Amino acid sequence: MSSHLSADRPAAQPPGRGSVDALISQARRLKGDVDAVRRDAPSDVSGPQDRWQRALYDLALHQLSDLDAHLAQLRDGPAPVPSAPGAEPVARAAPPAPRRGSLLSRVGSAEWNLLTDEASWSGELYQILGRDRTAPPLTLDELPSVVLDEDRPKLTAMVTDCLVDAQRIDGEFRVVRPGGEVRTVHMMGEPVLAADGSTASMWAVLRDVSELRRSERVVGETHDSLQRHRQRAQSEHRLAVELQEAVLPPWRGSLRLPHQGPEILDLAAHYLPSSTSALIGGDWYDALELADGETLLSVGDLTGHGVAVASGMATLLGAVRGMAMAGTQPGQLMALLNQLLDATVQPALGSAVCCRYRPETRTLVWAQAGHPAPLLFRGGTGRRLNSPDGVLLGATSGAVYAQAEETLEPGDLLLLHTDGLVPGHSDAAAVNRLLDLAPRFGGARTAQDCVRVVVEEFGETERADDACVLIAKVPA
């Protein structure tokens, strides 16, 4: 029932699900046909040839059952691991190739005469057990000597049930060949009754199923490994999400500052997760009311995905908040963040924009580190602010970051975002797409309405990375 490919022949591609379903149907039909022939065979199996034929029927049914189970596993397979871009895919271990040779070279027969204590073995059984064919066959009392210690009780119980209660034997045990190799043997046997109904002998067919069981173990271990990987990925994803939710302001709805007054910015933000990654990225946004009455606005992105990146993002965001509360200006704040990333054990790169807004004078002071500049919308049009100098965080030691100043007007709208907000576009094209929203922003009443416009425009687009947007609207 098997065919062999020559070594220089190209490997066949794995069959599709429909092809495997067809093979399963064929195997089950064949199994039904064999079972029907077996049932129609004479029940009187007094001769060795008859017993051999019946045993081969049973063996064929076992083989077809195995084939059915393995084809079903090939079709269904273990559940896939969440594809986590950035993570190495789990390699599926391939079962070892079966040994060459016909099926019958791994099937032998034996008969033990209880009246004369004689035994007769087929040549194939000598081969399975690795014994010299010139040596006499082992008696039933001697047979346990080649069986693995922990399997001897199982063999003894099967043989006892057969000889005493006339039960059929159908079980497996492991044998140790003379060179120390352990093989797994499946034994099917039955008693041969004398005229008075007593057991005269025991006849059995033994099949070497070592390769089959080894393949099953490999498949089982691979499935268990995939299960563990999936559970670990799910736990890491849950932890990253909880960490992100714990440190970021609420990303659905307007952002409320503790002492919000008539001159405080109208703020709203939104986080857009990747549509292709199961892992959380390092994007963040933040709005914080400072002790001197100014407002801190920041967005940033730490490269990578997963718990470690989410933890690094939380560390950076905490540092931004702490330094801003202490009065650190945006340019110096970026330099200190760069030192922080440069000093971490795990090298990392990040980008960020940090702004301080003074409501009394409507002054915005800001700095950036390799990040898209804020967009300013006024009177139905928009433009990108001119970026002060600043390299990526963690790119070089001792980097200096310049800062710029912009005076806002009543009704102005400021948009901060991370890379990937507009998927499939270069930086310049993405900025133009965002600036094209100016007329719609002009008709929006609140910052949250503006965020809604952005999400409606770009939120349903398939994106390879996370992104976020923060909008601040100056009271008119």
Side-chain angles (χ1 to χ4, degrees):
M1 212 177 290
S2 63
S3 62
H4 300 294
L5 298 175
S6 63
D8 56 352
R9 188 173 168 185
Q13 295 299 313
R17 184 183 179 94
S19 301
V20 177
D21 283 334
L23 289 173
I24 291 174
S25 297
Q26 292 176 21
R28 289 176 180 174
R29 282 197 299 271
L30 183 57
K31 181 180 175 183
D33 292 343
V34 173
D35 191 38
V37 173
R38 178 184 177 279
R39 288 197 306 268
D40 292 341
S43 56
D44 181 13
V45 287
S46 55
Q49 184 61 35
D50 295 327
R51 289 195 292 271
W52 174 252
Q53 186 179 52
R54 176 171 169 174
L56 284 180
Y57 283 139
D58 291 341
L59 181 58
L61 290 174
H62 272 279
Q63 291 278 55
L64 289 168
S65 295
D66 287 341
L67 178 61
D68 186 5
H70 290 313
L71 286 173
Q73 191 173 41
L74 176 64
R75 178 192 62 192
D76 301 331
V81 176
S83 177
E88 290 296 324
V90 178
R92 293 174 182 263
R99 291 186 175 181
R100 294 182 180 272
S102 69
L103 170 65
L104 293 183
S105 68
R106 299 193 302 275
V107 180
S109 64
E111 185 165 4
W112 290 274
N113 191 309
L114 303 182
L115 303 179
T116 63
D117 202 28
E118 294 178 342
S120 61
W121 285 7
S122 68
E124 292 81 10
L125 184 54
Y126 278 96
Q127 181 179 340
I128 290 172
L129 299 183
R131 296 184 64 80
D132 184 352
R133 294 194 183 201
T134 62
L138 299 176
T139 66
L140 278 180
D141 291 335
E142 296 170 333
L143 184 61
S145 65
V146 299
V147 176
L148 210 62
D149 290 347
E150 52 262 45
D151 288 358
R152 287 176 185 171
K154 184 191 304 184
L155 174 64
T156 300
M158 289 192 299
V159 172
T160 301
D161 289 342
C162 179
L163 300 181
V164 176
D165 299 326
Q167 294 183 14
R168 296 192 66 199
I169 290 178
D170 190 347
E172 293 182 9
F173 52 88
R174 289 164 297 173
V175 298
V176 182
R177 291 160 63 100
E181 181 187 10
V182 176
R183 307 293 292 177
T184 302
V185 174
H186 179 218
M187 182 176 184
M188 292 186 301
E190 57 185 23
V192 179
L193 303 181
D196 61 359
S198 62
T199 302
S201 63
M202 190 186 85
W203 192 85
V205 168
L206 295 94
R207 177 171 59 132
D208 185 344
V209 294
S210 305
E211 304 302 335
L212 176 62
R213 297 299 172 249
R214 186 176 294 115
S215 297
E216 289 174 345
R217 285 195 301 272
V218 170
V219 170
E221 290 166 1
T222 303
H223 180 268
D224 291 344
S225 175
L226 290 171
Q227 284 283 90
R228 290 191 298 271
H229 181 88
R230 180 166 62 251
Q231 291 168 359
R232 184 169 61 251
Q234 290 171 343
S235 297
E236 290 181 355
H237 175 75
R238 184 169 58 253
L239 179 58
V241 169
E242 290 173 354
L243 183 59
Q244 184 190 65
E245 291 176 346
V247 298
L248 293 186
W251 54 274
R252 293 186 183 274
S254 297
L255 305 182
R256 302 294 179 185
L257 299 180
H259 304 100
Q260 199 159 8
E263 296 181 343
I264 298 297
L265 296 171
D266 177 19
L267 300 167
H270 197 88
Y271 180 88
L272 297 99
S274 166
S275 56
T276 61
S277 171
L279 297 179
I280 296 294
D283 292 60
W284 88 78
Y285 64 87
D286 196 29
L288 183 66
E289 187 175 357
L290 304 175
D292 57 7
E294 297 184 3
T295 300
L296 170 73
L297 303 175
S298 71
V299 296
D301 180 14
L302 192 63
T303 56
H305 296 83
V307 175
V309 171
S311 176
M313 176 270 290
T315 300
L316 282 185
L317 185 52
V320 169
R321 289 171 175 170
M323 289 186 287
M325 275 293 187
T328 307
Q329 293 300 302
Q332 178 63 14
L333 191 151
M334 287 297 178
L336 293 173
L337 282 184
N338 183 64
Q339 290 182 26
L340 178 63
L341 269 189
D342 192 44
T344 55
V345 176
Q346 294 288 345
L349 290 175
S351 68
V353 164
C354 181
C355 311
R356 289 181 73 107
Y357 175 71
R358 189 176 304 120
E360 294 86 356
T361 59
R362 295 191 298 275
T363 303
L364 184 80
V365 179
W366 69 285
Q368 64 83 30
H371 199 89
L375 305 181
L376 176 61
F377 295 84
R378 177 183 295 165
T381 62
R383 65 181 175 89
R384 178 166 57 179
L385 299 184
N386 293 324
S387 294
D389 291 338
V391 299
L392 283 170
L393 299 173
T396 181
S397 300
V400 176
Y401 295 83
Q403 60 186 35
E405 187 173 308
E406 189 80 23
T407 300
L408 304 183
E409 296 180 3
D412 280 356
L413 185 144
L414 198 66
L415 186 152
L416 283 67
H417 67 96
T418 59
D419 285 329
L421 179 61
V422 185
H425 290 73
S426 64
D427 291 344
V431 167
N432 290 333
R433 289 289 306 277
L434 290 167
L435 293 176
D436 288 341
L437 299 178
R440 296 174 65 182
F441 287 160
R445 187 175 57 87
T446 66
Q448 179 58 28
D449 292 337
C450 295
V451 165
R452 223 174 265 121
V453 169
V454 175
V455 174
E456 288 172 358
E457 188 70 22
F458 306 115
E460 298 301 321
T461 307
E462 186 172 299
R463 64 186 66 252
D465 202 358
D466 302 4
C468 59
V469 58
L470 170 64
I471 290 181
K473 189 173 175 62
V474 180

